[in-house]
Amino acid sequence: MNTPRPYEETDVIIVGGGPVGLTLAHVLGARGIRCVLLEPRQTPDINSPRCKQLNPRSMEIFRTLGIAEDIRRHSGLPFGWSDRAVFATSLTGHLIERLDQVFALSDVPNSDLVEPAQWCGQDRVEEAFRASLQRRDSVTALWGWTLRDIEQDAHGVTVTATASDGSEKRIRGRYLAGADGSRSTVRRRLGIEMTGSGHKAQFVQAIFRAPGLSAAHSLGRAVQYWIVNERVSGMMGTLDTEDTWWAGFPGAPGDGSPERFRDAVATLIGTDYPVTILATDTWSPRMLVADHYRAGRCFLLGDAAHLNPPWGGFGANLGIGDAADLGWKLAAAVSGWAGPDLLDCYEAERRPMAHRAIAEAVRNMQVLSGDLVQPGLEDDGPAGDRTRATAAVKIRRSKTAEMYTLGFVLGARYCDSPLVRYDDGPAPGSTTSHYQPSTAPGGRLPHLWLGPGRSLFDELGQGFTLVELGSTAGPEWETAAQERGMPLTRLHLHRPDLAEIMGADFLLVRPDHHVAWRGSGHDLDVAELLDEVRGCARSSTSAGMPVTSVSPQAAPA
Ligand SMILES: Cc1cc2nc3c(=O)[nH]c(=O)nc-3n(C[C@H](O)[C@H](O)[C@H](O)COP(=O)(O)OP(=O)(O)OC[C@H]3O[C@@H](n4cnc5c(N)ncnc54)[C@H](O)[C@@H]3O)c2cc1C
């Protein structure tokens, strides 16, 4: 008879069910890895939908997990609702400038994108994730449970968690992922510090209801209204088509009472429009990165690992990228095909991404609504028009990089990873706003359509994928992958023309869509390459996992 263990067992314990922990649960669940997710909140917090912009990289990650449509369906604003940012003296005041096709939200087709961005309040993102988790048999979500303590040894991690009724559980996992936000208990228990700086300024986000407000102004639809006036400068926008709005402005105005918040919102609107404040949330910009992302068998990701100012909308998107990276590595470790260095490479790849996002966000923060104020901006007539035209020039100069970030979002590249075999081929030329597709190893696989609605990314496997553009690779790939237990999908595109465009006959693509290697395959030691990309320089001959082979008919891109 088995003696019952004093704890539940799983492979990965995920602490925190915000957007990042939930993404990780999907990444692991899609690969059948057992995990238990702990989240204190029974339901998403509708009063604090901080994140609104999901960028195209996050959306393509969601697509490959089969949940992009769930998110679009749950969004309060349907896809294509608006791709515009408007600058005005108040919601009912003078227009200063309009910027279109911002944040890659446009429904105008762009062949570089697998999925366009989506505007969706954080609570609705979490709702979509929670609902779709029911399709993941290997994931157990414990809503209402809070992590209290962590102990780890050479073989695993044991946590103590409590429920709101005071009951206690012990759970044992092989690994633990701390996605428990900026005040991370996991980070504190591991003794990991954050390094960087904070900003003294305080900002408020107010959520309010304003029936009929969308029809009561003449600025037209926009995802962001930047309000520029001398009294209260800030930003605002709708969260849904049912009169729920958000507004963000500097400082807790006055004594912070509901009347003061209502006054601030009234100034942004420009009239005493009747509004009901539902909630307020105060925050300060912080530029902090954890000194380490790993301690033993425990890992940090999302806001638990890094914090950046919100201008540009990078925070949750960055954490979703962490989850895509850590997820496949944990899956490889649990499934037995990870090399000894694979898990360490999570930090090596993702910490530089946090510094990159902070640098971009800090630049965006240099010019906020209040910095665009100038005398005469609210004047009627030609003099006011001239002042607004001058302000519009400043807006274009200072805000273009914040609104058009495709190069930053899709051009992210791991430049110094032990898991990537670099070459001397052309270096990618993306800038913040301009995305230059490139197969340079370390970067994201460039996208192309294989047929109507059929993306190259749809054909990638959950493990590595060998994309055969022109030539056909030899059987040594299957043999080497099987010997290592590495899941490898072979994708024959039969497109020599693409080999020329992509600059290689073969691309080895990682489970997170980054290119691990490109080349012609001549004189290649395949076994050595596979060892390198799985974090292991040594050969192994463990029993194999199936190698799948697919051969879609590629249509012109
Ligand atoms: C005003 C503002 C606007 C923003 N807009 C955007 C945007 O448009 N796009 C974008 O990408 N980012 C944006 N961000 C940043 C974004 O909100 C965060 O980066 C994101 O919420 C981080 O997600 P997370 O899952 O790491 O952490 P969180 O969202 O903080 O989630 C952490 C979770 O862990 C849980 N938790 C905490 N302690 C424990 C414990 N002991 N045990 C178990 N669970 C625990 C919490 O309940 C919570 O659910 C914005 C931020 C601000 C301030």
Side-chain angles (χ1 to χ4, degrees):
M1 193 178 76
N2 287 335
T3 316
R5 291 181 189 272
Y7 43 70
E8 292 175 22
E9 276 186 304
T10 190
D11 288 320
V12 181
I13 300 166
I14 301 172
V15 185
V20 175
L22 287 164
T23 302
L24 182 63
H26 276 286
V27 174
L28 293 169
R31 290 166 172 82
I33 304 296
R34 291 183 309 154
C35 49
V36 171
L37 179 142
L38 298 170
E39 167 55 50
R41 290 176 293 131
Q42 290 286 358
T43 54
D45 183 359
I46 55 169
N47 290 325
S48 182
R50 288 183 166 185
C51 167
K52 295 155 206 86
Q53 185 222 130
L54 293 171
N55 71 28
R57 174 66 186 138
S58 295
M59 289 305 293
E60 74 190 17
I61 290 169
F62 299 151
R63 177 179 174 127
T64 57
L65 293 170
I67 53 176
E69 280 314 309
D70 297 82
I71 287 174
R72 294 205 196 276
R73 245 195 340 271
H74 274 79
S75 169
L77 299 174
F79 172 59
W81 186 83
S82 173
D83 63 7
R84 178 172 279 180
V86 166
F87 293 74
T89 56
S90 72
L91 194 67
T92 52
H94 291 283
L95 172 71
I96 304 172
E97 182 59 303
R98 285 194 181 102
L99 299 178
D100 285 329
Q101 301 195 0
V102 298
F103 302 125
L105 283 162
S106 176
D107 53 4
V108 176
N110 174 346
S111 58
D112 287 334
L113 303 184
V114 183
E115 288 278 338
Q118 175 69 47
W119 207 257
C120 183
Q122 187 162 330
D123 54 322
R124 288 172 179 263
V125 175
E126 291 177 15
E127 254 172 48
F129 278 137
R130 285 180 181 224
S132 46
L133 263 191
Q134 286 167 12
R135 305 199 291 265
R136 309 286 187 204
D137 294 340
S138 64
V139 179
T140 304
L142 298 178
W143 312 121
W145 286 84
T146 304
L147 171 102
R148 298 292 175 202
D149 224 335
I150 303 172
E151 297 156 45
Q152 59 172 324
D153 54 47
H155 307 288
V157 186
T158 307
V159 302
T160 309
T162 52
S164 37
D165 65 3
S167 49
E168 193 171 279
K169 245 187 218 300
R170 275 161 68 77
I171 306 167
R172 172 95 174 153
R174 292 169 69 181
Y175 299 98
L176 178 142
D180 50 344
S182 58
R183 299 197 182 112
S184 173
T185 304
V186 173
R187 194 181 61 231
R188 275 185 281 121
R189 292 284 182 273
L190 298 177
I192 297 177
E193 300 289 329
M194 291 186 109
T195 301
S197 57
H199 208 282
K200 282 199 211 86
Q202 275 213 328
F203 292 83
V204 178
Q205 177 170 271
I207 306 300
F208 61 97
R209 277 189 60 73
L213 181 57
S214 293
H217 69 85
S218 54
L219 296 176
R221 283 182 182 179
V223 288
Q224 288 180 342
Y225 299 95
W226 288 66
I227 306 300
V228 185
N229 68 49
E230 282 168 2
R231 297 170 301 286
V232 179
S233 285
M235 292 160 75
M236 61 194 302
T238 46
L239 284 166
D240 56 34
T241 51
E242 290 154 23
D243 304 314
T244 316
W245 287 68
W246 61 276
F249 39 88
D255 62 8
S257 68
E259 292 72 33
R260 293 287 184 182
F261 290 126
R262 248 197 316 274
D263 286 350
V265 169
T267 309
L268 294 175
I269 294 174
T271 65
D272 208 3
Y273 199 89
V275 304
T276 308
I277 305 281
L278 302 176
T280 55
D281 173 17
T282 306
W283 54 274
S284 293
R286 282 173 291 174
M287 290 71 77
L288 293 170
V289 181
D291 293 346
H292 301 286
Y293 278 21
R294 176 181 189 181
R297 292 177 162 267
C298 302
F299 299 83
L300 296 176
L301 68 166
D303 275 17
H306 44 72
L307 293 166
N308 58 265
W311 291 278
F314 302 129
N317 289 301
L318 182 65
I320 288 161
D322 295 344
D325 185 289
L326 180 61
W328 76 264
K329 290 171 181 164
L330 285 174
V334 169
S335 307
W337 57 270
D341 303 330
L342 188 71
L343 290 173
D344 272 339
C345 293
Y346 162 63
E347 173 173 332
E349 292 184 343
R350 294 305 300 176
R351 259 182 107 244
M353 292 293 129
H355 286 291
R356 179 174 177 266
I358 287 174
E360 202 68 24
V362 165
R363 194 185 59 184
N364 293 337
M365 193 171 63
Q366 279 166 7
V367 179
L368 303 181
S369 299
D371 303 307
L372 297 166
V373 173
Q374 46 183 291
L377 204 57
E378 295 181 78
D379 290 354
D380 294 328
D385 289 343
R386 277 195 298 279
T387 310
R388 287 185 284 279
T390 313
V393 172
K394 185 169 180 190
I395 287 165
R396 287 212 168 255
R397 221 179 24 235
S398 58
K399 290 284 134 191
T400 298
E402 177 173 339
M403 305 280 166
Y404 302 100
T405 51
L406 207 54
F408 175 83
V409 169
L410 298 185
R413 183 176 180 225
Y414 302 135
C415 293
D416 191 19
S417 170
L419 304 179
V420 172
R421 186 172 288 185
Y422 298 100
D423 59 33
D424 297 331
S430 292
T431 60
T432 298
S433 296
H434 171 71
Y435 169 59
Q436 176 69 51
S438 165
T439 56
R444 163 208 178 253
L445 174 70
H447 176 245
L448 55 107
W449 291 107
L450 299 175
R454 238 177 81 235
S455 160
L456 170 61
F457 281 49
D458 297 339
E459 309 293 340
L460 302 175
Q462 293 288 358
F464 278 79
T465 304
L466 181 68
V467 182
E468 299 166 53
L469 294 162
S471 331
T472 302
E476 65 276 15
W477 286 89
E478 271 98 347
T479 309
Q482 271 166 356
E483 282 173 358
R484 284 154 184 78
M486 248 176 118
L488 177 76
T489 298
R490 290 186 51 175
L491 182 59
H492 316 286
L493 291 183
H494 309 298
R495 290 279 302 271
D497 56 320
L498 286 179
E500 202 161 311
I501 295 168
M502 298 269 202
D505 288 327
F506 304 114
L507 301 172
L508 183 63
V509 182
R510 309 185 339 169
D512 57 5
H513 323 136
H514 282 255
V515 176
W517 165 84
R518 66 178 167 185
S520 65
H522 299 311
D523 301 327
L524 178 72
D525 183 334
V526 173
E528 193 180 82
L529 176 66
L530 293 190
D531 281 341
E532 191 174 325
V533 300
R534 71 189 176 107
C536 170
R538 294 168 290 117
S539 293
S540 114
T541 50
S542 54
M545 286 175 68
V547 175
T548 46
S549 188
V550 288
S551 183
Q553 288 308 304

